[in-house]
Amino acid sequence: HTHTHTHAHATMRASAAAFTPSFAPPPPSTPPPPSTPPPPTTTTDGARAYPSDNVVSIDVECVATGVTHNDREVAQIAIVNAVDEKVLLNVFVRPRSSVVSYMTPLTGITRETLEAEAVSFDDALAMVRRALPTDAVVVGQGVLKDVQEWLKLERGVDYGDLIDLTGIWRVWNERYKSWSVFSQDHLVRCLLDDTEVNASHDAAGDCVKSVRLYRLFLKLKDDAAGLASAHAKLLATPPEPSFSKRFP
């Protein structure tokens, strides 16, 4: 559950445990010396970084099959290689329930696309397993939900490990004494000069953004000044209104 403060940065409170190591986080001004890396608790806390030759990004887009925010079914799955941004899979999925909204402004998915191109969820999942190396490190925004909840993939069976961009790009907010976490759009807008943020999200396009954000993290993780500058920009830039505020 996220709280939005007056300056509109979402900070994680209730689910901070998902990203916060068991020790109190040091403020960014005193990073731990490189010789003592943080304990490898989970990869979502950004404690480990992998060379990007074994990294892929996965993104799942959903359509609404009811009126609550939990009524969602998978409608598109994409997998992109982190090294060359090659699209390994981009498949549309036929929802099993009737669709209440395609949420096209958010997903880019239309009824026409699904009617013309979609395959069954089981077929799509078989395609995912064929495209995904079993030792791959999967990176993405909120990737745990995509991989485990939506696709029911198993760590150590279908893939090797997970890295959540929300965790590696979180910033300690001294003013609120808590972690600030950011949307993928905010990260792209602040950190990737050459990457456009489109109003509509496409799964393959979001995967490309994810791998670029991950490669930037790899580049900056040992550059204290560069990382501090990126963190300062993330905190200082006001976020754009969210999809739910623009499309109530």
Side-chain angles (χ1 to χ4, degrees):
H1 182 66
T2 56
H3 292 278
T4 307
H5 293 294
T6 48
H7 73 331
H9 278 118
T11 64
M12 271 202 153
R13 294 218 186 278
S15 53
F19 300 117
T20 309
S22 51
F23 52 85
S29 54
T30 55
S35 56
T36 55
T41 44
T42 64
T43 41
T44 48
D45 67 6
R48 300 178 227 179
Y50 294 85
S52 53
D53 58 358
N54 197 31
V55 176
V56 300
S57 180
I58 289 184
D59 186 69
V60 172
E61 296 290 341
C62 293
V63 290
T65 53
V67 292
T68 79
H69 69 277
N70 289 323
D71 299 326
R72 299 283 184 268
E73 277 197 42
V74 174
Q76 187 188 12
I77 307 164
I79 306 176
V80 169
N81 186 302
V83 177
D84 53 11
E85 298 183 1
K86 181 182 173 192
V87 178
L88 303 178
L89 180 69
N90 187 12
V91 63
F92 290 96
V93 184
R94 194 180 310 116
R96 285 166 284 204
S97 313
S98 58
V99 175
V100 170
S101 168
Y102 291 86
M103 302 191 291
T104 307
L106 177 65
T107 63
I109 293 168
T110 63
R111 178 199 299 263
E112 293 73 29
T113 306
L114 291 192
E115 284 177 355
E117 299 179 42
V119 302
S120 74
F121 180 76
D122 289 343
D123 286 352
L125 203 50
M127 293 160 83
V128 167
R129 290 197 163 102
R130 281 200 298 274
L132 186 63
T134 55
D135 61 348
V137 176
V138 181
V139 64
Q141 187 85 8
V143 70
L144 188 71
K145 183 168 187 165
D146 283 355
V147 166
Q148 292 188 355
E149 192 173 319
W150 291 126
L151 302 181
K152 305 281 192 272
L153 298 178
E154 273 187 75
R155 179 175 172 163
V157 176
D158 299 305
Y159 65 92
D161 219 337
L162 294 179
I163 295 176
D164 195 332
L165 291 170
T166 317
I168 63 175
W169 280 113
R170 67 183 184 166
V171 180
W172 181 249
N173 189 324
E174 195 50 49
R175 181 175 168 195
Y176 291 107
K177 299 285 189 275
S178 65
W179 292 102
S180 286
V181 296
F182 307 97
S183 70
Q184 186 189 53
D185 282 354
H186 188 76
L187 292 170
V188 170
R189 208 175 278 116
C190 292
L191 304 177
L192 299 179
D193 299 332
D194 59 344
T195 306
E196 246 186 284
V197 175
N198 301 316
S200 145
H201 283 232
D202 162 74
D206 282 358
C207 283
V208 169
K209 293 174 196 166
S210 288
V211 298
R212 289 179 184 174
L213 287 164
Y214 181 66
R215 290 202 310 259
L216 180 65
F217 173 75
L218 283 189
K219 196 169 96 178
L220 291 181
K221 73 182 177 65
D222 298 321
D223 168 7
L227 200 54
S229 163
H231 285 173
K233 192 170 181 186
L234 288 170
L235 280 179
T237 308
E240 299 275 317
S242 69
F243 173 78
S244 55
K245 290 211 172 65
R246 288 184 293 125
F247 298 93

